[in-house]
Amino acid sequence: MTTAASAPRVFSGIQPTSDSFHLGNYLGALRQWVALQEDSDAFYCVVDQHAITVTHDPKVLHQRSRTSAAQLLALGVDPERSNLFIQSQVPEHAMLAWILGCETGFGEASRMTQFKDKSAKQEHTTVGLFTYPVLMAADILLYQTQRVPVGADQRQHLELTRDLAARFNNNYGQTFTVPEPYILKETETIKDLSDPAKKMSKSSESPRGCLYLLDEPNQMRKKIKSAVTDSEAEVRYDPEGKPGVTNLLVIYSALSGTPVDKLESEYQGKGYGDFKGDLAEVVAETLGPIARATREYLDDKAELDRILVEGAEKARAVASRTLAKAYKKVGFYPPVAN
């Protein structure tokens, strides 16, 4: 059995910017969070500080943070094997971000593609949105993280994190572990059900394009059955020629554990109706229990709060040691204990 002392350290976070996570979040990252508990010392975080880089409603954010934590527990994040907490409950994240921001070049930060994409869609762009990747770097480096399970869209931010860790170590002496990405290739980008040229996102132009984990089972079935395919009737993996069918095959294989080539054989000579109908049942049966378990965690407020406070206390025990080391290296006085 792997002990916490010998296990590789893992950190990952997710924003509470929606009432529910979606299938892309689950297959692209969250399912790996659960699997990594088996042989890792895992720290998992609802990154609510990242969520205020855009206009938000404080009451909605507060509730979504709780709902996000409840979903993570429902998905299988086990507080006995992982440290689950809310980012704002650990002030060391923001404190280290200032130091790392002073190590980040303006041009370096300007090259982040997510900032370009998000700022282009907003009338009011904040400094917080610009420095988002620096806070993400602080999130990771605080825990001396070795592996970071992330979606493909965060790959560039993780490279910045690695650069900042190496730069700080070079300038001030060994302080941070340089982390490695943990990205599952097969499901790193689940596509929009209505427009398979785009990744699945809560900002989908069609309400049927994004499949949420807290959707009712019948909603899930309808979204799968109305998913875009093509004018043929052949179930075949072909990302260029049949992106819609390919996306559904990837989802089917990921949820059922059946290899894509076997699914192609099973549906040879059958139409899309049979294929979508069977997939719709697999989706509803797999994700339905997650919604029920989430509601149970939300109904027991005291227990959910206990889990989050305990997780934050454990996280602070580790984060404070890293911050103290970074403070000393740059010449700061240590924070005064409460």
Side-chain angles (χ1 to χ4, degrees):
M1 180 177 176
T2 304
T3 64
S6 63
R9 177 69 53 76
V10 166
F11 175 89
S12 199
I14 188 165
Q15 285 198 54
T17 52
S18 179
D19 293 326
S20 171
F21 300 142
H22 57 68
L23 186 64
N25 299 138
Y26 174 55
L27 294 179
L30 299 181
R31 192 165 65 164
Q32 281 63 261
W33 289 21
V34 177
L36 284 168
Q37 295 176 126
E38 300 299 326
D39 61 358
S40 303
D41 181 17
F43 286 74
Y44 296 138
C45 181
V46 176
V47 289
D48 56 341
Q49 290 176 325
H50 288 285
I52 68 168
T53 58
V54 296
T55 303
H56 73 287
D57 181 319
K59 290 182 179 179
V60 172
L61 173 62
H62 189 81
Q63 181 56 42
R64 283 178 172 176
S65 294
R66 294 182 61 80
T67 302
S68 296
Q71 285 178 87
L72 293 174
L73 293 166
L75 286 167
V77 171
D78 181 356
E80 296 299 318
R81 294 185 293 167
S82 298
N83 300 285
L84 176 64
F85 60 100
I86 306 294
Q87 183 186 29
S88 58
Q89 290 184 299
V90 182
E92 287 82 0
H93 287 251
M95 297 164 77
L96 180 59
W98 175 255
I99 294 176
L100 294 180
C102 295
E103 295 293 319
T104 307
F106 183 82
E108 191 173 34
S110 300
R111 289 191 291 273
M112 297 294 104
T113 56
Q114 279 214 0
F115 171 73
K116 294 177 183 177
D117 293 343
K118 291 183 178 181
S119 60
K121 298 173 184 176
Q122 297 176 199
E123 291 185 10
H124 177 60
T125 302
T126 68
V127 173
L129 183 62
F130 184 69
T131 58
Y132 172 112
V134 178
L135 178 57
M136 178 176 166
D139 299 337
I140 296 166
L141 298 181
L142 269 175
Y143 300 97
Q144 304 296 348
T145 303
Q146 292 160 283
R147 294 194 289 180
V148 185
V150 292
D153 60 335
Q154 295 293 327
R155 195 191 303 266
Q156 187 187 35
H157 290 170
L158 187 55
E159 283 305 310
L160 176 65
T161 300
R162 288 168 51 81
D163 290 343
L164 290 175
R167 184 179 305 154
F168 192 96
N169 291 345
N170 183 63
N171 290 342
Y172 299 102
Q174 183 60 39
T175 307
F176 301 117
T177 299
V178 180
E180 297 290 338
Y182 183 89
I183 301 173
L184 190 64
K185 191 70 177 176
E186 293 83 354
T187 54
E188 65 177 16
T189 305
I190 298 299
K191 304 296 185 182
D192 188 288
L193 298 177
S194 297
D195 184 358
K198 301 176 181 177
K199 72 171 186 175
M200 186 173 288
S201 168
K202 66 181 185 298
S203 59
S204 175
E205 294 178 7
S206 168
R208 294 185 176 183
C210 187
L211 201 158
Y212 292 101
L213 301 189
L214 299 187
D215 280 343
E216 292 296 327
N218 282 339
Q219 286 180 290
M220 296 179 186
R221 294 185 180 96
K222 287 179 181 178
K223 288 181 179 181
I224 292 295
K225 290 179 179 179
S226 64
V228 167
T229 49
D230 51 53
S231 58
E232 298 178 10
E234 184 181 5
V235 178
R236 186 179 79 250
Y237 184 90
D238 180 357
E240 296 298 322
K242 300 170 74 68
V245 174
T246 296
N247 188 43
L248 295 180
L249 276 168
V250 169
I251 293 170
Y252 202 148
S253 178
L255 293 180
S256 67
T258 305
V260 168
D261 57 354
K262 186 173 181 181
L263 289 172
E264 289 177 311
S265 298
E266 287 182 6
Y267 289 97
Q268 187 173 9
K270 297 181 181 180
Y272 291 154
D274 289 339
F275 172 61
K276 287 183 172 182
D278 291 345
L279 174 56
E281 292 307 312
V282 169
V283 168
E285 289 173 10
T286 303
L287 303 185
I290 295 171
R292 290 193 293 274
T294 298
R295 287 192 291 270
E296 290 174 4
Y297 279 110
L298 289 173
D299 286 343
D300 192 344
K301 184 178 183 298
E303 175 61 9
L304 181 55
D305 285 344
R306 184 197 67 77
I307 290 170
L308 294 175
V309 168
E310 187 174 283
E313 289 172 345
K314 291 178 180 178
R316 288 203 74 183
V318 176
S320 61
R321 289 196 296 270
T322 301
L323 185 71
K325 186 184 295 186
Y327 262 44
K328 185 176 181 179
K329 290 289 179 69
V330 300
F332 284 174
Y333 283 76
V336 177
N338 291 331

